[in-house]
Amino acid sequence: MPNGPVVASEAQTDEFNPFSSMEKLFNRAADVLDLDEGLRSLLRTPERELTVALPVRMDDGTIRVFTGYRVQHNFLRGPCKGGIRFAPDVNIDEVRALAAWMTWKCSIVDIPFGGGKGGVICDPRELSIGELERITRRYTAAIIDILGPDRDVPAPDMNTNEQTMAWIMDTYSMHVRRTTTAVVTGKPISLGGSRGRHEATGRGVMLVCREAMKKLGRRPEATTVVVQGSGNVGGIGALLLHREGYKIVSLSDMYGTLHNDQGLDVPAALDHLRANKTLEGFGEGDHMPNGEQLELECDVLVPAATENQITSENADRIKASLIIEGANGPCTAAAQDILVDRGVVVVPDILANAGGVTVSYFEWVQDRWGYFWTEDVVNSRLEQIMVKAFSDVDGVAESHGVSMRVAAYTLAIERVVNVYRMRGLFA
Ligand code: NAD
């Protein structure tokens, strides 16, 4: 566990370190709230960090030791909530930043969770399904003491999915000797998953885009959109925006960018992606390398792939006047300043992609209740929460004269501080 305020690792104290980006934004909001140094330190410091070694037998009989992390940033408002990512470059600073973002995100949508996040350093593309299952089960067993429906409830993130959640739920249930569906969210519906969870983050992106457009007095039919990433958030976000009447002029995946300024047939492009595992070869539109996608001519940009995509290097070449952050941390703190100076409205990640955690909360409630809702009920409750969260953040932005991002942090931190003040400091 860290002792004293956590600072980003020295090797990465630069613009691209997500934890240092998070700290900068945290400090701006803390200034708005006039928080003293003690409170700042308390709220910045992760409550618990676990690094685990995961020895796993590979298909060829050899043993490899993987490294896993689980960071619980803050559990003042309830059990920690946050995804688990499998990636070759995942590191502790990234997991810390993502865990802190989860605290603020849960607070913005006002659901009774704190923030956590996990990661395992591995390259899923090189692993068989059996190896992935053994890594997941060993990771679950290694962090089991800090997991549980009342302690910490993981969910999928990059390169993890419903199957991963099913293995975690099973491993946890085998250890505690009873089926405990509420220990993870993002499960298959047959194992206690929620209807609407798969689409929830993309749906939330669409809903906040709609609210931002109303505020700016714009109509979907007259609006072009570029979406970076075609996975759970980008793909579903693009599909729902397309259904609302927006013209999606570009989609991308990790291999390249598809562009058509007449508008893409999004359902057909996503069918092609599902069938071929790449957008390459889709007949309509031009294919280009990823580097230039974010700078394409458009009204709305939805970065929904990964962090650090809009930086001080390219922020002044972004053409969009509205950015909806589907991914976590797609703009660095330095890029944010450039965008705000240029008058670009940025709906920040901790608001824009909070639809996923909101329906995760619904899933946890349904599992504990043992009573499952229809998709319409899920979607309409999600809509109520996202619309209110947008309006709450917008209200803080107006009243303090700050950007939506600083407003989102300010609102989130203030809610956590209020809980802290009522609970007091345990000693
Ligand atoms: P995913 O793995 O389903 O999809 C990621 C997509 O991005 C894929 O299409 C991939 O090919 C593409 N991609 C990766 N690098 C790219 C690049 N450099 N350029 C263009 N495309 C690239 O992941 P996801 O669940 O959609 O998550 C995307 C982001 O959204 C992450 O930052 C994640 O933390 C965040 N997020 C996800 C959820 C959720 O519910 N899935 C919720 C909140 C936030």
Side-chain angles (χ1 to χ4, degrees):
M1 243 198 285
N3 194 5
V6 170
V7 289
S9 303
E10 272 177 37
Q12 274 206 5
T13 43
D14 57 19
E15 183 183 351
F16 302 103
N17 181 310
F19 192 78
S20 79
S21 265
M22 192 286 297
E23 277 187 314
K24 283 193 188 95
L25 292 159
F26 171 89
N27 283 331
R28 283 184 208 163
D31 290 344
V32 173
L33 292 167
D34 200 18
L35 293 188
D36 63 49
E37 193 42 49
L39 260 180
R40 287 178 195 232
S41 176
L42 184 150
L43 294 172
R44 258 192 325 241
T45 311
E47 299 218 23
R48 188 184 277 152
E49 296 185 356
L50 197 54
T51 300
V52 289
L54 312 171
V56 172
R57 192 169 300 281
M58 308 304 283
D59 290 348
D60 64 5
T62 58
I63 291 174
R64 264 180 73 187
V65 182
F66 295 88
T67 301
Y69 305 108
R70 185 74 190 169
V71 174
Q72 298 180 335
H73 172 255
N74 188 290
F75 33 87
L76 273 172
R77 301 179 79 251
C80 293
K81 190 84 200 75
I84 294 169
R85 63 174 51 175
F86 285 181
D89 54 354
V90 65
N91 62 66
I92 189 71
D93 276 336
E94 180 181 330
V95 179
R96 277 178 187 153
L98 290 160
W101 280 323
M102 287 307 296
T103 304
W104 313 136
K105 202 179 291 187
C106 292
S107 177
I108 286 173
V109 284
D110 211 2
I111 56 177
F113 285 137
K117 203 79 181 190
V120 176
I121 305 176
C122 65
D123 187 348
R125 285 172 306 181
E126 291 174 354
L127 297 165
S128 70
I129 188 91
E131 289 167 341
L132 277 172
E133 176 173 356
R134 292 194 289 281
I135 291 171
T136 305
R137 289 188 183 276
R138 187 69 199 223
Y139 172 72
T140 309
I143 64 167
I144 206 153
D145 289 338
I146 62 168
L147 285 189
D150 294 310
R151 290 193 180 123
D152 187 349
V153 184
D157 193 69
M158 283 166 81
N159 298 320
T160 58
N161 55 27
E162 292 188 338
Q163 177 62 79
T164 325
M165 296 306 112
W167 291 328
I168 295 177
M169 191 276 269
D170 183 70
T171 307
Y172 183 88
S173 297
M174 288 295 129
H175 276 77
V176 301
R177 299 285 191 264
R178 59 186 173 278
T179 295
T180 308
T181 51
V183 68
V184 279
T185 59
K187 297 178 296 293
I189 289 184
S190 57
L191 300 188
S194 177
R195 289 183 177 77
R197 171 63 185 88
H198 182 68
E199 299 80 15
T201 310
R203 183 171 295 280
V205 164
M206 178 274 284
L207 290 167
V208 296
C209 186
R210 189 186 72 189
E211 295 309 296
M213 293 275 294
K214 274 194 221 157
K215 186 174 159 63
L216 297 170
R218 296 200 206 148
R219 287 179 309 109
E221 302 73 34
T223 303
T224 55
V225 184
V226 166
V227 181
Q228 184 194 37
S230 303
N232 181 267
V233 184
I236 292 171
L239 189 64
L240 296 176
L241 289 169
H242 172 79
R243 282 193 198 145
E244 293 284 301
Y246 296 82
K247 193 196 276 187
I248 313 295
V249 292
S250 176
L251 277 175
S252 64
D253 63 14
M254 61 170 65
Y255 306 109
T257 293
L258 179 62
H259 178 227
N260 184 341
D261 52 19
Q262 298 308 304
L264 290 163
D265 180 346
V266 177
L270 295 176
D271 283 346
H272 178 92
L273 176 63
R274 250 187 306 277
N276 301 283
K277 308 267 177 275
T278 168
L279 290 165
E280 258 167 40
F282 182 67
E284 283 174 25
D286 311 321
H287 291 267
M288 50 194 254
N290 273 339
E292 295 147 39
Q293 189 201 16
L294 301 175
E295 297 164 29
L296 286 169
E297 203 63 59
C298 64
D299 302 307
V300 179
L301 176 61
V302 183
T306 185
E307 55 262 2
N308 293 337
Q309 297 301 296
I310 304 175
T311 67
S312 54
E313 208 272 314
N314 62 359
D316 56 0
R317 297 196 297 274
I318 302 291
K319 312 282 188 314
S321 53
L322 172 63
I323 297 179
I324 310 285
E325 292 189 333
N328 287 313
C331 296
T332 64
Q336 159 77 13
D337 291 343
I338 298 170
L339 294 167
V340 169
D341 284 349
R342 292 182 48 218
V344 178
V345 176
V346 183
V347 182
D349 47 7
I350 52 176
L351 167 62
N353 68 33
V357 77
T358 302
V359 177
S360 273
Y361 163 58
F362 296 164
E363 179 173 335
W364 178 82
V365 169
Q366 292 170 82
D367 286 339
R368 300 185 72 149
W369 208 355
Y371 173 68
F372 291 86
W373 312 345
T374 63
E375 189 162 346
D376 283 348
V377 169
V378 169
N379 289 346
S380 89
R381 288 182 176 163
L382 172 64
E383 181 167 348
Q384 276 172 30
I385 287 185
M386 294 305 295
V387 169
K388 176 169 187 310
F390 183 93
S391 150
D392 289 349
V393 170
D394 189 44
V396 174
E398 297 276 338
S399 61
H400 289 280
V402 293
S403 66
M404 284 206 83
R405 190 186 306 276
V406 173
Y409 274 77
T410 304
L411 175 70
I413 293 168
E414 189 172 31
R415 284 185 178 152
V416 177
V417 167
N418 287 343
V419 171
Y420 162 71
R421 290 206 164 112
M422 292 301 291
R423 287 181 60 159
L425 187 61
F426 171 77

